[in-house]
Amino acid sequence: MQTEQMSLITPKWILTLENDDLLENHSLLIDQHIIKDILPTTDARETYPSTKEIELPNQLLMPGFVNCHGHAAMNLFKGLADDLPLMTWLEKHIWPAEGQWVSEEFVKDGTKLAIAEMLKSGTTCFSDMYFFPEQAADVAAEYGMRGVFYGPVMDFPTPYGSGPDEYIEKIIKAHDHFKHHPLIDIGFGPHAPYTVSDEPIKQVRALADQLNMPIQIHLHETEFEVIDAVEKTGHRPSERLRDLGLFGEDVQAVHVTQANQTDMDIFHKYGVHVIHCPESNLKLASGFCPIYALQQNGVNVALGTDGSASNNDLDMMGEMHTAALLAKAVAQNASAIPALEAVKMATINGAKALGKETEIGSLKVGKQADIISIDFNDIACTPVYDPISHLVYSSSRSQVDHVWVAGKLQVKNKQLCHFNVQQLMDMSQSWAEKIQASK
């Protein structure tokens, strides 16, 4: 039986990421929110003759990007403080700005702006660690965007709460509110080893086990973080978190620019996922995540953009490109992280890191229809010998043509379907004027 919500998509290529094959002359059928079929186009037209067909000549159909780390509302701080080392950037600029401006309204508006940018550049699922996660999740739910929202846990007060107990209470409340939502998950976001003491970390681990909630933490972001921890405690931050029992397959460690064999062995043993944010790390001069060595040691590595205040964009195609090139230089191996592996880091590896590999991250019958198309009708992508190579080394986010999240068309012919772009731009400029006037 066919429904009005069925669509047959016919591109030139389909990259399923279920294997390393690149399908040509195939079509994909969306039925409501799931992938119903993938089959040769001639068979598809015979099998589903009355289904609406969307023809995408010279385009690549693939899973949507999974942005595994960011701070969406910080889009409203984009360009506020640049060209500074991490701690100066945080302590002198970002934390004071957050103390003055972050509120439920700020988070809602900033998240809306970020979701629009992410959808236009092909991201169909994002992971967000920021204040007021319930409000951010409300915006994602309203616009049909898939997301995992990690409420921050820190030892000190912020506009979000007075300390660890209040943060944890609010995160659990958000989890209870969204626990049956098909697109939204809530997790714990202990900020970093240097901002969270032992007892809150133990509490987060116990509650995550009890409520089946994921955990995300900034870890080994800079050399100073590791040196300082060793001088004060005699242990690397990864060893401390291991000893506190935090690590497990539901934990994502973000940044990890400093990783020795001890760290890699710990991550592998406990199934910790590493989230690589190459452009943010480069801009803040935080260091280089050794992603090739991590993968050689059996650690799943996925990609994130970080927030727009330190990147300054939410462009997963750019992150793929940077990650692939940077990995070769760090490993001193031109074969490290080939194009296909970079694509996996931006899709199926991210789905695994978020515990969603059975739902998203590849194109497979029965999975959620989180799908994007990349338009190679562009002078920068001519000629095409290998579309996967072009995807990583030649393409840009302006070539994202169509985007579906859970079968809902979000971007059509490079245009957002459900946002008033002018209103978004006016809103963000209004925030900028207020923030600038207060400096």
Side-chain angles (χ1 to χ4, degrees):
M1 179 181 178
Q2 299 182 20
T3 74
E4 293 182 358
Q5 292 177 291
M6 291 177 69
S7 297
L8 188 68
I9 310 169
T10 303
K12 182 168 184 179
W13 305 278
I14 299 180
L15 179 61
T16 69
L17 294 179
E18 279 296 306
N19 50 52
D20 292 347
D21 294 333
L22 187 69
L23 304 178
E24 291 193 54
N25 303 315
H26 278 62
S27 297
L28 181 148
L29 183 72
I30 296 175
D31 185 359
Q32 299 185 72
H33 59 90
I34 67 166
I35 298 169
K36 187 73 171 179
D37 208 349
I38 302 173
L39 68 171
T41 297
T42 52
D43 296 342
R45 288 170 174 161
E46 292 178 4
T47 306
Y48 307 104
S50 60
T51 299
K52 176 184 70 174
E53 184 174 2
I54 301 171
E55 296 188 65
L56 302 174
N58 212 35
Q59 295 198 30
L60 171 73
L61 203 68
M62 63 174 289
F65 297 124
V66 181
N67 184 349
C68 276
H69 180 69
H71 314 284
M74 293 184 81
N75 255 37
L76 294 177
F77 290 146
K78 183 185 296 184
L80 182 66
D82 289 320
D83 307 319
L84 298 166
L86 175 64
M87 295 315 297
T88 303
W89 177 77
L90 281 172
E91 293 174 352
K92 301 294 186 181
H93 298 275
I94 297 304
W95 285 346
E98 288 177 333
Q100 182 173 0
W101 293 106
V102 170
S103 64
E104 292 186 11
E105 180 187 14
F106 178 95
V107 167
K108 286 181 178 179
D109 286 350
T111 302
K112 186 183 300 185
L113 182 66
I115 287 173
E117 180 183 351
M118 284 190 279
L119 285 170
K120 253 203 121 177
S121 52
T123 292
T124 55
C125 176
F126 74 109
S127 166
D128 194 56
M129 183 199 286
Y130 208 59
F131 309 108
F132 301 103
E134 187 166 349
Q135 283 67 37
D138 278 335
V139 174
E142 177 185 354
Y143 285 93
M145 180 63 152
R146 195 181 305 276
V148 184
F149 298 84
Y150 296 88
V153 178
M154 292 175 278
D155 285 346
F156 48 86
T158 68
Y160 180 53
S162 59
D165 290 343
E166 187 175 359
Y167 298 140
I168 289 170
E169 180 182 346
K170 288 184 174 181
I171 294 164
I172 293 173
K173 180 181 177 183
H175 165 74
D176 290 343
H177 180 73
F178 285 104
K179 62 184 176 183
H180 299 302
H181 198 284
L183 297 176
I184 306 298
D185 291 287
I186 304 293
F188 290 104
H191 173 259
Y194 57 88
T195 56
V196 190
S197 52
D198 290 358
E199 288 309 312
I201 288 174
K202 292 178 183 177
Q203 190 176 1
V204 162
R205 178 69 269 171
L207 288 167
D209 288 338
Q210 178 184 334
L211 300 172
N212 192 29
M213 295 170 64
I215 299 170
Q216 186 171 101
I217 185 168
H218 300 98
L219 183 64
H220 291 207
E221 185 170 0
T222 64
E223 183 181 26
F224 173 78
E225 174 192 332
V226 178
I227 292 172
D228 186 58
V230 171
E231 288 179 350
K232 290 177 178 177
T233 70
H235 297 286
R236 297 172 68 81
S238 65
E239 294 174 301
R240 172 185 164 228
L241 296 181
R242 174 202 61 194
D243 295 344
L244 290 171
L246 182 72
F247 287 149
E249 294 180 0
D250 55 357
V251 174
Q252 303 119 47
V254 181
H255 297 303
V256 191
T257 70
Q258 315 295 315
N260 63 15
Q261 192 60 51
T262 296
D263 304 317
M264 294 184 198
D265 289 344
I266 290 172
F267 297 151
H268 178 255
K269 178 178 179 179
Y270 292 94
V272 175
H273 309 271
V274 168
I275 311 303
H276 179 35
C277 303
E279 293 185 0
S280 176
N281 291 340
L282 285 169
K283 185 165 180 280
L284 292 168
S286 297
F288 309 115
C289 180
I291 59 174
Y292 182 65
L294 284 161
Q295 290 191 339
Q296 294 298 107
N297 279 271
V299 179
N300 180 47
V301 179
L303 291 179
T305 58
D306 210 353
S308 276
S310 66
N311 187 312
N312 297 16
D313 59 42
L314 305 178
D315 177 8
M316 285 292 286
M317 291 186 76
E319 299 297 330
M320 276 197 308
H321 178 88
T322 302
L325 298 183
L326 186 60
K328 301 175 195 310
V330 171
Q332 297 186 334
N333 178 354
S335 300
I337 313 299
L340 181 60
E341 187 58 40
V343 176
K344 290 178 180 178
M345 288 169 60
T347 53
I348 188 62
N349 289 13
K352 290 175 182 175
L354 300 180
K356 293 183 172 295
E357 68 271 27
T358 62
E359 302 173 59
I360 62 171
S362 63
L363 304 183
K364 180 181 180 181
V365 173
K367 277 195 168 186
Q368 293 288 301
D370 288 15
I371 304 168
I372 64 175
S373 74
I374 311 296
D375 186 2
F376 286 153
N377 293 290
D378 191 287
I379 194 68
C381 291
T382 303
V384 180
Y385 297 107
D386 179 355
I388 299 174
S389 170
H390 273 5
L391 178 65
V392 175
Y393 298 123
S394 303
S395 301
S396 70
R397 61 177 171 175
S398 65
Q399 292 166 242
V400 174
D401 196 69
H402 280 62
V403 176
W404 292 262
V405 179
K408 180 180 179 181
L409 188 60
Q410 293 279 4
V411 175
K412 180 180 181 181
N413 299 325
K414 301 181 175 65
Q415 300 300 312
L416 290 161
C417 297
H418 307 292
F419 287 85
N420 185 316
V421 174
Q422 189 59 54
Q423 282 184 0
L424 273 180
M425 293 175 68
D426 291 344
M427 172 271 291
S428 63
Q429 187 58 36
S430 176
W431 274 105
E433 290 170 0
K434 289 189 292 186
I435 293 168
Q436 186 69 27
S438 71
K439 293 182 70 175

